[in-house]
Amino acid sequence: MFWLLLSFSAFAQDELDLKAIKALDAELPVTEYSGRVEDFEQRRYTSRHQYPFKKTKLKSILTSGTEHGHVKAGIFLIRIKDNQALQVTESFYGKFYKLQDDQGFKYIESNDGSCLYKLKTEFVNNIEKELALYVPPLKYTPAPTNIIRSDFDKKLKVLPEVTIMMGMVQGDYMKDLFNDNKAATGFTNQYGLHFATAWELPVKAGLVLHYEKSTYNLRAGGNVIYSSVSFGPQFKTKDFELWGETFRLQTQFRVSPFARAAAETSQGNIDFKFNSADFMLVAEHPVKNDWGEFVLGLFFQTQWLNIKQQPEVVSINATNETNKSIGLSLAQVFE
């Protein structure tokens, strides 16, 4: 009898504790999901418990924006249209859509804006922080739009040039000097050493040193040999295009106190000394080569002569006539 009463007492105690638990459970807040049921579906697990998950639509992924990332070689891409796996043979940088799908895949934006491949998110290394190399200032003043910048050369560069010139001379001065019409035509050879600046200004300046030797024929088999060493400034324009080729212009003004003319005449040998002034205009066509530039040109020269010394047996007044030359020039500019 005693054991029966003890059992009833324990059962009553258990019943009392159960009611307390139920009362406590009723006081707890209730959580309800207010979303749409169709946004969830059940995953199939081998375990006895199943959890809901939210489906991510492709349209949402494509409108989520992109971020830059890097993918190493050796991983596999999944082609979306047929789920074919393709191995990446070389690492690459690309744009990846920010939103991943419910299976943990990142989608790749192609160069044309389409989306053809996807890969596991863990294979994408985000590089957005590495690309954020510049932080804009909080306050700034816009730069003026009318800034005038001028080019200048940090150091002076001088290019040497060797020149050979050959041509014909219309020797009006020599014809008057020797009173011989045959001396109206001659041939000239000139050799020059030039130094020109290589700077950004439209006109390049320099210096020239020339040696000229011209020959004129006289009646009765005589001839006149004119020679001089002259020097002076030169100026060259910048290269310009004409008929699809590169050209430039060069001018020289040279003087010489050492000009002389040695003549063999029927009266004997006569020697004149002059002060000379020469103006030359050259049209040049430069061609690049291993040493610098090879320059092919056409020149025109006007020469003024003033007698400063003549033989005692000859007395000739100065004349206003000039000698004019035209011909071909060949030069090499060394850079």
Side-chain angles (χ1 to χ4, degrees):
M1 186 65 179
F2 175 75
W3 293 108
L4 182 62
L5 291 175
L6 186 61
S7 299
F8 279 118
S9 176
F11 176 79
Q13 185 67 32
D14 290 343
E15 183 68 22
L16 180 61
D17 293 341
L18 184 60
K19 290 181 180 180
I21 293 174
K22 289 182 179 181
L24 181 62
D25 183 61
E27 293 179 2
L28 294 176
V30 178
T31 302
E32 295 182 358
Y33 176 72
S34 60
R36 295 180 304 174
V37 179
E38 57 268 20
D39 289 341
F40 293 85
E41 66 179 24
Q42 297 295 328
R43 282 187 176 178
R44 295 181 180 179
Y45 294 96
T46 56
S47 64
R48 57 182 297 184
H49 301 289
Q50 294 182 348
Y51 300 93
F53 71 97
K54 189 174 182 178
K55 293 172 26 177
T56 304
K57 297 180 180 180
L58 181 60
K59 182 179 179 181
S60 300
I61 295 175
L62 298 182
T63 57
S64 64
T66 59
E67 56 189 5
H68 293 82
H70 174 260
V71 175
K72 295 181 179 180
I75 63 94
F76 285 87
L77 301 181
I78 306 299
R79 191 159 53 198
I80 298 175
K81 66 178 182 179
D82 56 5
N83 285 330
Q84 180 68 35
L86 303 173
Q87 188 175 20
V88 177
T89 58
E90 295 182 0
S91 61
F92 69 91
Y93 295 89
K95 289 183 178 181
F96 303 85
Y97 293 99
K98 294 180 179 179
L99 185 62
Q100 67 179 15
D101 65 8
D102 49 272
Q103 296 179 352
F105 282 92
K106 278 275 192 180
Y107 288 71
I108 306 172
E109 182 186 50
S110 303
N111 293 332
D112 59 357
S114 62
C115 181
L116 304 177
Y117 299 95
K118 63 181 180 179
L119 76 164
K120 280 293 187 179
T121 303
E122 58 264 26
F123 296 140
V124 180
N125 299 313
N126 191 292
I127 59 171
E128 287 295 329
K129 292 184 178 180
E130 286 78 1
L131 295 178
L133 301 179
Y134 171 74
V135 178
L138 298 178
K139 298 176 64 176
Y140 71 97
T141 301
T145 58
N146 58 346
I147 297 178
I148 301 176
R149 294 181 174 87
S150 58
D151 296 329
F152 65 94
D153 297 275
K154 296 182 179 179
K155 62 180 181 179
L156 182 63
K157 186 177 181 180
V158 179
L159 304 180
E161 177 181 356
V162 177
T163 306
I164 300 175
M165 298 181 174
M166 300 164 287
M168 298 184 63
V169 186
Q170 181 181 336
D172 293 335
Y173 184 92
M174 293 301 181
K175 181 183 73 173
D176 284 359
L177 179 63
F178 293 97
N179 194 23
D180 193 329
N181 290 332
K182 196 171 183 180
T185 303
F187 298 92
T188 183
N189 293 300
Q190 300 186 29
Y191 308 92
L193 179 60
H194 303 177
F195 298 93
T197 55
W199 55 30
E200 294 295 332
L201 295 177
V203 178
K204 297 175 173 57
L207 296 173
V208 298
L209 179 65
H210 261 240
Y211 173 75
E212 177 182 350
K213 182 178 182 180
S214 301
T215 304
Y216 305 86
N217 292 325
L218 300 175
R219 293 190 301 263
N223 60 42
V224 179
I225 298 177
Y226 170 83
S227 62
S228 71
V229 176
S230 59
F231 53 88
Q234 75 163 0
F235 301 94
K236 290 187 178 186
T237 65
K238 295 186 71 173
D239 295 352
F240 57 88
E241 295 290 330
L242 186 63
W243 303 305
E245 299 292 341
T246 304
F247 292 92
R248 60 174 173 248
L249 296 178
Q250 177 193 161
T251 60
Q252 301 176 10
F253 183 76
R254 309 187 311 272
V255 296
S256 174
F258 312 113
R260 63 188 298 269
E264 295 179 0
T265 66
S266 56
Q267 287 81 25
N269 295 337
I270 305 175
D271 195 6
F272 293 91
K273 293 184 179 179
F274 307 94
N275 290 319
S276 70
D278 302 88
F279 174 79
M280 179 178 287
L281 177 64
V282 187
E284 298 182 342
H285 170 51
V287 180
K288 289 289 185 180
N289 59 18
D290 294 338
W291 298 284
E293 289 181 341
F294 174 75
V295 184
L296 177 65
L298 294 174
F299 74 89
F300 172 78
Q301 175 180 280
T302 300
Q303 183 179 79
W304 294 268
L305 297 177
N306 184 24
I307 297 176
K308 69 176 184 179
Q309 183 178 341
Q310 55 184 302
E312 295 180 359
V313 296
V314 179
S315 179
I316 301 175
N317 294 326
T319 175
N320 293 327
E321 295 292 343
T322 60
N323 297 325
K324 301 178 181 64
S325 306
I326 188 171
L328 178 69
S329 70
L330 303 174
Q332 175 64 48
V333 179
F334 297 95
E335 296 183 354

